[in-house]
């Protein structure tokens, strides 16, 4: 009987498209780099909180720009996660004036951190499907790290074919090919592209959620003048 249960979980995860894995364990990976404007911050948090309204079992959150930070390890208390998010200081977000300079998008390191967390979680919860949800408005920066992002993604897909990786991109400066490499399975199923921060909602991940209240604010786009290319901080 146990073998049947395990097989059922694996079949669900292997065939998962966005929406199919909303009863799994979830690791959310958030881009907090310079190109995220102030007006977008509450919309990103709204998106996360809407996703939490689904049936995910344990949820963890990682943030990244030039550094990668684990906001919370995977826990099952949605209210606690929401409180953690609400309590984050303004310094949580990278800006062009941040000291030290943080205007990078280290997607490679963030994806590696998510891999480490979910592998640890899987060791404790083998019979629960796993989802990584990566959110960005750009692409790996510095550009010479793009290959590392693809290498980590390839490792995840080969080592953990039963996991689902969803890549969400906002704005017109995203690298669609990079998102397709990050996403698992058929990229058309697990890549979500949005023109602005207003339009990214939890229902895009879990279609069974109730329709959200429309966002009638003026369109909120990534900051094209994000300062990344001018970041004087030496790259490592």
């Amino acid at each position: 009987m146990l073998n049947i249960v395990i097989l059922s979980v694996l079949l669900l995860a292997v065939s998962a498209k966005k929406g199919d894995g909303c009863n799994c364990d979830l690791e959310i990976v958030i881009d907090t780099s310079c190109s995220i404007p102030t007006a977008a911050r509450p919309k990103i948090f709204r998106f996360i909180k809407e996703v939490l309204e689904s049936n995910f079992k344990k949820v963890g959150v990682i943030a990244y720009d030039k550094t990668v930070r684990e906001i919370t390890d995977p826990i099952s208390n949605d209210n606690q996660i929401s409180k953690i998010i609400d309590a984050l200081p303004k310094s949580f977000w990278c800006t062009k004036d941040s000291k030290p300079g943080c205007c990078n998008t280290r997607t490679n390191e963030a994806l590696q951190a998510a891999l480490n967390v979910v592998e640890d979680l899987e060791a404790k919860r083998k019979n629960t499907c796993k989802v990584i949800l990566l959110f960005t408005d750009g692409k790996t920066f510095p550009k010479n790290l793009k290959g590392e992002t693809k290498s980590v993604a390839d490792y995840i897909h080969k080592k953990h074919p039963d996991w689902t990786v969803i890549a969400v991109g906002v704005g017109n400066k995203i690298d669609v090919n990079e998102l397709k490499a990050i996403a698992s399975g058929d990229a058309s199923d697990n890549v979500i592209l949005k023109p602005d921060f207003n339009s990214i909602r939890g229902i895009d991940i879990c279609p069974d959620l109730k329709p959200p209240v429309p966002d009638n604010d003026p369109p909120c786009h990534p900051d094209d003048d994000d300062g990344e290319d001018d970041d004087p901080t030496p790259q490592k």
Side-chain angles (χ1 to χ4, degrees):
M1 182 64 177
L2 178 60
N3 289 338
I4 295 175
V5 172
I6 294 174
L7 178 59
S8 297
V9 171
L10 291 179
L11 286 175
L12 169 65
V14 168
S15 61
K17 303 175 184 178
K18 54 181 182 290
D20 291 344
C22 293
N23 61 347
C24 300
D25 292 335
L26 172 68
E27 188 69 19
I28 302 174
V29 186
I30 314 169
D31 181 349
T32 58
S33 59
C34 294
S35 54
I36 307 290
T38 302
R41 299 171 186 176
K43 299 183 188 301
I44 295 172
F45 285 161
R46 177 186 65 192
F47 166 64
I48 294 173
K49 291 177 180 179
E50 288 177 354
V51 170
L52 292 177
E53 293 175 5
S54 191
N55 296 318
F56 288 106
K57 306 305 182 186
K58 285 186 177 290
V59 180
V61 182
I62 288 172
Y64 71 103
D65 37 63
K66 192 170 186 174
T67 61
V68 176
R69 295 93 69 203
E70 186 175 34
I71 306 307
T72 175
D73 58 353
I75 57 178
S76 55
N77 189 325
D78 295 347
N79 289 330
Q80 184 178 351
I81 296 174
S82 294
K83 288 179 181 178
I84 291 171
I85 289 173
D86 289 338
L88 290 171
K90 290 183 179 179
S91 58
F92 169 76
W93 301 94
C94 178
T95 70
K96 288 179 285 186
D97 298 323
S98 296
K99 303 294 182 183
C102 56
C103 288
N104 279 190
T105 307
R106 302 292 180 98
T107 313
N108 56 314
E109 296 178 13
L111 201 56
Q112 180 66 54
L115 166 63
N116 295 342
V117 169
V118 179
E119 282 189 330
D120 288 345
L121 184 61
E122 185 169 62
K124 303 169 186 174
R125 294 167 54 81
K126 294 182 182 297
N127 298 341
T128 306
C129 49
K130 302 293 184 284
V131 176
I132 295 174
L133 171 60
L134 185 138
F135 178 96
T136 184
D137 72 333
K139 49 191 172 291
T140 301
F141 189 87
K143 297 176 183 178
N144 64 318
L145 298 176
K146 288 171 65 68
E148 293 186 19
T149 297
K150 186 177 185 305
S151 293
V152 178
D154 287 345
Y155 177 88
I156 293 174
H157 302 326
K158 293 175 183 177
K159 183 73 173 180
H160 303 286
D162 52 322
W163 293 7
T164 299
V165 184
I166 301 172
V168 180
V170 176
N172 61 9
K173 287 207 167 185
I174 52 177
D175 184 334
V176 177
N177 288 330
E178 182 173 278
L179 295 188
K180 288 181 178 180
I182 292 170
S184 57
D186 185 342
S188 63
D189 290 325
N190 290 311
V191 172
I192 300 173
L193 304 177
K194 293 291 182 176
D196 51 49
F197 293 101
N198 311 57
S199 56
I200 180 63
R201 308 301 297 263
I203 200 169
D204 293 308
I205 307 300
C206 298
D208 290 339
L209 289 171
K210 64 181 180 181
V213 175
D215 185 332
N216 296 317
D217 293 341
C220 179
H221 300 283
D223 182 1
D224 289 339
D225 183 24
D226 57 22
E228 283 195 338
D229 295 322
D230 303 319
D231 186 1
T233 307
Q235 309 303 336
K236 296 181 179 179

